[in-house]
Every structure is written in structure tokens, then in C-alpha cells.
């Protein structure tokens, strides 16, 4: 009987879901361009033609009013050509998000996989994880597009550098290091756009003229270009902030992630930021946008941040009129306005002679080219390359497992006195969980969607603990009152072990909201100390949030045995934390950003300089240039195992050719102002043999502990100290390897001297110092000497 009931229910549910899916697909597939028989004969619908020819054809068929209506993120339909409306603005920072109007969560896709927030994902230092995560998001995006619930142009990743620990959006970024952020950008964009990935299925249409490297599964967008890392601090707001940045800092700090995103990741979209850069709004800067297109070879469309065109006139007062603002951004190279400003004022700008129709044509060519690469003018998308993807491809077991793996790999063990962790699951000990963030299921941070299934940290720990109890201690994360302290202390006293969950949520740090302090909010510090003092055993402190925290009190407190940073771990964060605390997973995450002491808040947030300046008491920023004290350094992260390293193979000498790129033997060497031991340097732009200088460093790592686990090997370099402004140290490469207890593992890291051992001079030109460069992994060093012949 049960079998027949099961079969009836299964068949009914399956048939019902199939009917819903077919109805959804039918309704969506009726709203597409190049539909047979009325509109498929337009030249832009001819899939045998090259993409540029199709794009030009479409532009040529449009009237001026139609062109203007296509310059907004909410592009209007053109019924006479059979073009449906299109929403360019969808978001997918760490999963399909609610923020953009292009995405809707409703039947048949009410949720999508919520992966860890970017900063925690970056802490894994795992390129393949970033690639697979983005590929999973792309699959879910196409599936939602096929049922009319998302667009195909996603405004992610955010590759701005996490320059100041107070920035509310630092959580959205890969951290403070340009090399790390560049690697993340390349792999995320590659995964999202599906260049050569397994799920980039063959096109079923043999007549389709395309290059597999040109087609896009979805479009990725590198944002926010550039030097955007302040939202709201004192009198400064992102809408009117002028980021004064030296050419030196632009070249070797702010720009590398965007350059890599474009040149290696082949991003099809670039978003210009709200702020001014050296007194010119980013979206109106011919120098900046021209750099991306002309020097870096950007091939895609440039969108404004939302209402950033209006900002050029209304907030920044850069343009004298609305029409001037539109002229400024179009002439700079921007293509589309997120917002309605250009819809309202472009016609009058043309009438006043400030904008030409050719300016619109250029922008539309870029926009249509990306839409063509996405297959939006190839007829019924259900019959296309990705047409079989649907609701069953969202929230799959594979994707949910990947979200769990992302949280596992990113969580950072900051402190573990006397190897207090992991706890022994078999002894049947009772566990108390304290803290307002312990019970929430909102663990994604900014730009989240609706998770497939989400458990709180408390629920995750409950799956592992024999008995478990909970008290919030504070009513919420701001923790303005100590009313709940007594209950929290009593709960803690009755348990064998205590986990205190403290830190930040999006009430403390988010878009348009920077922090003023690096301390735990409100009375959280008092709660942690009180519970730690009252507990039977030393406690475990779990920190949530993206922004660095000054938890020096906890680092010093012997009653706090272990500290873990879980960031915003996404839908599987509860399980990942429990697996680490109870020893089923050996932590290996590393901090992708420096954790500064509270005194750092005396540094003006609007000062964009990276280098320290002792004459004005300025300590510099990020591990590369900061000269002050740290709570935890960039790359800090413990394991349940100890490790030792050995350089197996690396060159001791690299020789540069004296012949420069133009074939002459002009003076290649430049002398520093302060010469140390007669050392000189060469400008990277002059070097002829840069491409041939790369070498591999082979490294072995020995797991000295009793537990297997991953380990992140980080290779740093220190160059000769003779040029003002050279980095203290800088990351050259990294590799995450699996290690086995009491055995060694090997890996290799490729070093490109022209890229990794150079830095920018005051003119923004990259220079490669000659002499001894010290490579180090942990406390093991190897010297590579660079000379010239």
C-alpha cells in the first residue's frame, strides 16, 4: 500500500512540477528576439554572420528615440523589430542575489545556492574553488534565465582592494593584496563566463557562426573602477568623494585586479565607480576608461554604477548641466547608465549639439555585441546551447556541497592555545552556545539571495554536540544592553564547553555604511569576557563579519583558548564550523586582510596613500606598506597540524638582456637616489626578455601533526631596499595543497620577475631592482640575484 501511495504522490508531484516548468518555459520562450516567422529575417538574426556585422546591422535599423530608450539598465522593447525589453542589472557576488531588479525568486525557483561571502572565499587561497563556485553560479543563472527569473548580465565580481578596515563593503572583496585580488578576479570571471568549462555545452546549431572563446554563458562585470573603497565616513560619501591617488599607488595597488580581470579573465563588462579619481568622476574619465579599452584591450560594455551619471552633475558638480554630464560620460567611453538620467536628458543633449548620434551608436555596438555573445538574438533560448538548464539545476546537491566546502576552506583559526581544539566528539560533553549571531540563519552578508537551505551556527553545532543550550547574551549585534548577560553566564556555567559567537553583521558594515570603530560592537566585549570568566573550561570565540576586528583582549585572555573567524560563511556555515570545532575538518584558511588595532581609526579614511610617511605620522596601509602593530597579520591562519618547509628547486641567478625592446643598446639601468652597494634598477617597459624570465619554485611542505588536511603555501619576496616606496614584502604566489599526517607534499609556484618582483616608481612606471631578492615561505628563505649581461 505504501508503495502505491508513494508512486501516486511521486507521479503526481513529478507531473505537476513538469507542467509548471513547461508553462514557465513556454511563457518565457514566447518573449525573445528573432522569433519565427515575423522577425527572424533581420540580418542581426543571421547566426552565420560574424558578431560585429550583426551588431552593426541592429544599430542601423534603430531610430534615435529607440536608441535613447536602450541606454538604461532597464532597456525598452522595440516591438517593430521584435526586440523584447531587457534588464541588464542582475547580481551574483557569491550566489544569485536579490539586489538587482533582473532577479526574481518565485516558483519554480524560489531560492539559489548561497556561497560564502567573497572575503571568506578568498581566505581559502584556492583558485579552483573560486572557478568552480563561479561556474555553479553561472549554471544557476542560466537556469533561472530560462524560466524568466534572471537576466544574463551579472554585475560581479567586486575586485576593489580592501584598503581600510572600516570599509563596509570590504566583505565583498578578495582582500587587500593586488596579486590575490587579481587571481580571484581571473578565476571568478572565467568560471562565470564559462570559457572552456565542462558545463559550457556544445551549440546544437551547426550553422551558428561563433568562436567558443567569444561566446558567453553569462556576462561578468568587474567593479568598481577604480579606487573605490569609501562609502560613508564623516563628511565624505561615495557620491562626492574625490580619491586623490598617486600614479605609483594606482599602478601597483589599485589597478592590477582590474587589469587582470580584463586581460586574463576576459571580462565582458566593466563598471565605473561613483567617486572621482584625482578630481575627475570615474565614469567621465577618458583617461581611465581609455586605459581599459586602448591599453588593456577591454572588449565589452562599460556601465555606470547606479545613478553615477546623475552624480557627475548633481553631487560632484563636475558638469555644468545635465546635458554636459551625458556628453562627458559618453565621450569618456561609458556605454550604459544604471538609472534613468540618460533616458531623460540625452535627447536634449543631442539637440544642444553636446552629444552626437554616433556616440550612441558606439555605445549600442558594445551593448549588442555582448548580448549577441550571450545568444540573445539567436531565437528561442530553450532551443539554444543552454536551453536544457532549468529549476532542477538550481540548489543541486553538488552546488550545496560546494558551498559547504567553500565555508570549510575559508574559515580561519586565529588562536588555539595548548591545542584546545578540536573538541572530542566522543566524550559526550555538553555545549553552550552564546551570542546574538549564533541563532541567525542570515549568514551570507551583503548581496545575498534566498538560500536553498540555511542553518544557524547553533543548529550546525547541535548536530555534533551530545547536549546543547543557547542564550543570546545580547538582544542583537549592536548589543546596547547587558540585560541578557545573567542568563548567558548561567547557561555557560552549566555546560562543559562554551562557544561564544561575537562580531559583525550587516547592521554594522554594509554598502553605504562604514564603521567608526574596530572594536566589537556595543557591550559584546563585556559579554565575551564575562562568559569566559564564568565558564568551567576556557571558551571558544567565533567571530562573524568581514571587517577586521581589534580583539586584542581575547588574544591575551587565557580564558579564551581558541578564536575562529567565520566571516559570512553562507548557507552551510553552521555545518562547516561544527566540523572544524569537532575535528572532522582541519582548518587551513588564511586572513586575506590585515587586522589592525583600534588606534588605526586615527588614520584618516580618506587618505588613499599606501606608503608610510613618518614625517606626518602616517603608518601606511596593508601588509605591503604598513609599519604599525597588528592584531593579526595578512596570511595569518593556524591548523591542527604544524608544518615545515623546504625549497627543493629555484634559480639563484636571473640575467637580464642589455638589449631593450627597440633593439638598441641604450642605457637600460637607472640609478636610485640612494644607491646601496651600487645597486641599479631597470624599467620593466624597456626589457626585451620579460617573457623568458619566468621560473618555477618547487617547495615541499611536511605535515608534522597527526591529522591530514589542506595547507596554504604562501611565497613572499623582499627586494633590495634602495628605492623610496618599495614594499616591505609582497605576495609572489600561493598554492593550496592536501597534506597527509607525518608526510611531505610538493608543489610549485611560477614566479614572473617582471610582474612579481617589481613595483611602481613615483611616475607609475614598473621598475625591477637588480641585486638580491629574498623569497620566503614561513621562516625558510631563498635568495635570487638579478643582474644584467
Amino acid at each position: 500500500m505504501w508503495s502505491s501511495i508513494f508512486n501516486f504522490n511521486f507521479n503526481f508531484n513529478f507531473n505537476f512540477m513538469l507542467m509548471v516548468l513547461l508553462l514557465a518555459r513556454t511563457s518565457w520562450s514566447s518573449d525573445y528576439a528573432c522569433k519565427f516567422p515575423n522577425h527572424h529575417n533581420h540580418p542581426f538574426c543571421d547566426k552565420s554572420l560574424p558578431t560585429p556585422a550583426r551588431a552593426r546591422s541592429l544599430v542601423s535599423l534603430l531610430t534615435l528615440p529607440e536608441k535613447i530608450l536602450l541606454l538604461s539598465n532597464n532597456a525598452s522593447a522595440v516591438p517593430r523589430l521584435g526586440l523584447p525589453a531587457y534588464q541588464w542589472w542582475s547580481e551574483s557576488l557569491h550566489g544569485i542575489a536579490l539586489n538587482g531588479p533582473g532577479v526574481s525568486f518565485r516558483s519554480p525557483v524560489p531560492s539559489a545556492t548561497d556561497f560564502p561571502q567573497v572575503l571568506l572565499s578568498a581566505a581559502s587561497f584556492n583558485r579552483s574553488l573560486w572557478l568552480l563556485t563561479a561556474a555553479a553560479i553561472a549554471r544557476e543563472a542560466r537556469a533561472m534565465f530560462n524560466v524568466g527569473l534572471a537576466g544574463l548580465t551579472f554585475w560581479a565580481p567586486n575586485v576593489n582592494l580592501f584598503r581600510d578596515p572600516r570599509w563596509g563593503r570590504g566583505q565583498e572583496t578578495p582582500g587587500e593584496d593586488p596579486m590575490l585580488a587579481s587571481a580571484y578576479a581571473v578565476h571568478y570571471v572565467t568560471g562565470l563566463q564559462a570559457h572552456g568549462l565542462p558545463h559550457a555545452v556544445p551549440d546544437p546549431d551547426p550553422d551558428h557562426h561563433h568562436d567558443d572563446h567569444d561566446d558567453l554563458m553569462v556576462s561578468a562585470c568587474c567593479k568598481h573602477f577604480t579606487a573605490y573603497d569609501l562609502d560613508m565616513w564623516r563628511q565624505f560619501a561615495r557620491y562626492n568623494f574625490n580619491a586623490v591617488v598617486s600614479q605609483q599607488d594606482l599602478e601597483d595597488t589599485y589597478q592590477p585586479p582590474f587589469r587582470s580581470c580584463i586581460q586574463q579573465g576576459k571580462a565582458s563588462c566593466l563598471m565605473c565607480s561613483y567617486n572621482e579619481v584625482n578630481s575627475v568622476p570615474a565614469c567621465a574619465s577618458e583617461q581611465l576608461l581609455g586605459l581599459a579599452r586602448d591599453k588593456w584591450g577591454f572588449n565589452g560594455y562599460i556601465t555606470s554604477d547606479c545613478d553615477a551619471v546623475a552624480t557627475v552633475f548633481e553631487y560632484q558638480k563636475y558638469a555644468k548641466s545635465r546635458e554636459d554630464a551625458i556628453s562627458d560620460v559618453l565621450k569618456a567611453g561609458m556605454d550604459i547608465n544604471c538609472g534613468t538620467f540618460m533616458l531623460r536628458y540625452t535627447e536634449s543633449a543631442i539637440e544642444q549639439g553636446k552629444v552626437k548620434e554616433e556616440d550612441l551608436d558606439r555605445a549600442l555596438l558594445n551593448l549588442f555585441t555582448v548580448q549577441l555573445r550571450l545568444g540573445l538574438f539567436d531565437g528561442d533560448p530553450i532551443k539554444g546551447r543552454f536551453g536544457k538548464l532549468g529549476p532542477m539545476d538550481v540548489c543541486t546537491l553538488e552546488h550545496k556541497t560546494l558551498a559547504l566546502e567553500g565555508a570549510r576552506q575559508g574559515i580561519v583559526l586565529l588562536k588555539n592555545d595548548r591545542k584546545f581544539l578540536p573538541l572530542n566528539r566522543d566524550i559526550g560533553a555538553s555545549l553552550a552556545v552564546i551570542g546574538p549571531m549564533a541563532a541567525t540563519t542570515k549568514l551570507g552578508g551583503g548581496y545575498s539571495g534566498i538560500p536553498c537551505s540555511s542553518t544557524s551556527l547553533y543548529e550546525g553545532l547541535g548536530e555534533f554536540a551530545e547536549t546543547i543550550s543557547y542564550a543570546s547574551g545580547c538582544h542583537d549585534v549592536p548589543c546596547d544592553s547587558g540585560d541578557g548577560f545573567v542568563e548567558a553566564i548561567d547557561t555557560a556555567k552549566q555546560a562543559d564547553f562554551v562557544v561564544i559567537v561575537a562580531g559583525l553583521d550587516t547592521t554594522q558594515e554594509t554598502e553605504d555604511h562604514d564603521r567608526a570603530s574596530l572594536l566589537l560592537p556595543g557591550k559584546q566585549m563585556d559579554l565575551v569576557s564575562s562568559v569566559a570568566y564564568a565558564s568551567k573550561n576556557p571558551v571558544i570565540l567565533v567571530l562573524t563579519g568581514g571587517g577586521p576586528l581589534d580583539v586584542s583582549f581575547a588574544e591575551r585572555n587565557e580564558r579564551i583558548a581558541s578564536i575562529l573567524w567565520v566571516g559570512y560563511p553562507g548557507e552551510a556555515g553552521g555545518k562547516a564550523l561544527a566540523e572544524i570545532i569537532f575535528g572532522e575538518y582541519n582548518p587551513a584558511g588564511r586572513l586575506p586582510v590585515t587586522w589592525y588595532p583600534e588606534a588605526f581609526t586615527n588614520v584618516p579614511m580618506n587618505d588613499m596613500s599606501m606608503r608610510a610617511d613618518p614625517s606626518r605620522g602616517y603608518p601606511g596601509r596593508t601588509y605591503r606598506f604598513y609599519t604599525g602593530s597588528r592584531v593579526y597579520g595578512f596570511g595569518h591562519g593556524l591548523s591542527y597540524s604544524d608544518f615545515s618547509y623546504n625549497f627543493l628547486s629555484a634559480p639563484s641567478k636571473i640575467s637580464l638582456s642589455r638589449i631593450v625592446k627597440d633593439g638598441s643598446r641604450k642605457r637600460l639601468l637607472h640609478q636610485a637616489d640612494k644607491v646601496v652597494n651600487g645597486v641599479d634598477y631597470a624599467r620593466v617597459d624597456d626589457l626585451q626578455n620579460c617573457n623568458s624570465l619566468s621560473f618555477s619554485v618547487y617547495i615541499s611542505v611536511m605535515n608534522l601533526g597527526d591529522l591530514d588536511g589542506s595547507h596554504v603555501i604562501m611565497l613572499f619576496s623582499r627586494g633590495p631596499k634602495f628605492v623610496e616606496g618599495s614594499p616591505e614584502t609582497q605576495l609572489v604566489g600561493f598554492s593550496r595543497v592536501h597534506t597527509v599526517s607525518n608526510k611531505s607534499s610538493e608543489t610549485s609556484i611560477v614566479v614572473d620577475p617582471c610582474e612579481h618582483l617589481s613595483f611602481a616608481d613615483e611616475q607609475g612606471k614598473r621598475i625591477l631592482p637588480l641585486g638580491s631578492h629574498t623569497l620566503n615561505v614561513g621562516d625558510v628563505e631563498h635568495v635570487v640575484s638579478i643582474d644584467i649581461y
Side-chain angles (χ1 to χ4, degrees), residues 454-618:
S454 197
T455 58
S456 67
L457 300 178
Y458 169 71
E459 290 168 329
L461 290 164
E463 294 292 317
F464 284 73
E466 186 74 20
T467 59
I468 189 168
S469 55
Y470 168 73
S472 65
C474 301
H475 300 301
D476 51 23
V477 170
C479 195
D480 295 324
S481 167
D483 291 350
F485 281 23
V486 172
E487 180 192 3
I489 290 169
D490 287 345
T491 302
K493 282 180 177 178
Q494 296 169 35
D496 296 313
F497 295 102
V498 178
V499 175
I500 309 172
V501 183
L504 308 172
D505 69 355
T506 52
T507 67
Q508 306 298 302
E509 52 170 7
T510 191
E511 186 168 3
D512 224 15
H513 179 62
D514 299 328
R515 288 187 293 156
S517 172
L518 303 183
L519 299 175
L520 289 173
K523 297 180 181 293
Q524 282 194 33
M525 190 189 307
D526 295 336
L527 173 67
V528 172
S529 298
S530 300
V531 170
Y533 178 77
S535 301
K536 293 177 187 174
N537 288 302
V539 300
I540 301 155
L541 176 61
V542 173
L543 299 171
T544 62
L549 290 160
D550 183 349
V551 288
S552 305
F553 81 98
E555 177 64 27
R556 292 190 300 261
N557 190 338
E558 292 184 357
R559 296 291 305 164
I560 300 171
S562 302
I563 305 176
L564 289 147
W565 174 67
V566 299
Y568 294 110
E571 66 176 58
K575 183 173 184 181
L577 174 64
E579 288 181 342
I580 288 173
I581 284 179
F582 285 96
E584 292 205 357
Y585 191 89
N586 194 350
R590 302 281 198 109
L591 288 181
V593 63
T594 303
W595 283 30
Y596 302 88
E598 172 69 359
F600 193 87
T601 57
N602 295 322
V603 176
M605 192 172 173
N606 61 309
D607 193 323
M608 303 295 288
S609 300
M610 302 305 298
R611 271 94 176 155
D613 184 353
S615 68
R616 58 188 181 94
Y618 186 71

Side-chain angles (χ1 to χ4, degrees), residues 129-152:
L129 176 69
W130 305 331
L131 186 81
L132 291 171
T133 298
I137 293 169
R139 194 174 182 88
E140 297 196 352
R142 265 287 174 173
M144 292 181 71
F145 168 79
N146 284 346
V147 292
L149 297 179
L152 289 176

Side-chain angles (χ1 to χ4, degrees), residues 102-171:
V103 171
S104 298
F105 285 106
R106 62 175 187 271
S107 181
V109 185
S111 59
T113 312
D114 187 34
F115 295 92
Q117 179 61 288
V118 178
L119 194 69
L120 189 74
S121 185
S124 71
F125 285 82
N126 188 341
R127 293 175 176 86
S128 60
L129 176 69
W130 305 331
L131 186 81
L132 291 171
T133 298
I137 293 169
R139 194 174 182 88
E140 297 196 352
R142 265 287 174 173
M144 292 181 71
F145 168 79
N146 284 346
V147 292
L149 297 179
L152 289 176
T153 42
F154 286 83
W155 291 349
N158 179 345
V159 296
N160 293 114
L161 281 212
F162 199 168
R163 171 188 63 96
D164 191 288
R166 292 162 283 190
W167 186 31
R169 301 188 74 175
Q171 57 173 293

